[in-house]
Amino acid sequence: MFVFSVKTSKRRIGVLVLCVAALILIIIAAVGRPAAPTSATVSTSPAEGGSETKRVAFLRSLGYEVTPSHTAVREILIPDTFDEETNSYNELQKTAGMDLAPYHGKRLKCWSYEVLNDPSGQEAQAHLYEYQNTIVAGDVSSTEADGFMRALVSVGASQ
């Protein structure tokens, strides 16, 4: 059995109690503070997805006339770390207020739609990326090999 004794004054005990109380308040404030919104929550997206109707309505809200059903769907894995190409694509997403960074290591579904009214006059497709039935990214790109790729913004803003 060990006995430990400390000789101290009331003032030191009071200072110790105040320090512990201040530390507890700081911890409570840090834990209770709402998290800062991520880019994924502050963007023009996320828009509600999860159905053909909602995805088409989202594209139409941006001014795109698209085929009423998707032309392709695929699943992609967002890498844990971005290489130069993925980082460049994410920079394109950021210009539309979207960000793929919060989805590192996540699987997204990519829905493709034929764009019928692209301002370029070229054949184009809109690609919508969904995570848990929420549209979190997208682009419009030409079907030509040396074509364009633009951020998913309203038709008037994309020219």
Side-chain angles (χ1 to χ4, degrees), residues 61-105:
S61 75
L62 294 173
Y64 292 100
E65 288 302 318
V66 295
T67 53
S69 61
H70 63 276
T71 57
V73 63
R74 65 187 187 277
E75 189 172 277
I76 62 161
L77 176 66
I78 303 298
D80 288 329
T81 56
F82 288 169
D83 59 16
E84 186 177 327
E85 184 178 335
T86 311
N87 197 39
S88 174
Y89 185 75
N90 196 40
E91 289 303 314
L92 178 77
Q93 294 304 308
K94 289 178 180 179
T95 65
M98 302 178 196
D99 188 3
L100 288 171
Y103 303 98
H104 285 288

Side-chain angles (χ1 to χ4, degrees), residues 9-27:
S9 67
K10 290 182 181 181
R11 181 177 179 187
R12 284 188 180 173
I13 292 174
V15 169
L16 180 63
V17 168
L18 286 175
C19 289
V20 170
L23 182 62
I24 290 172
L25 289 175
I26 291 171
I27 291 171

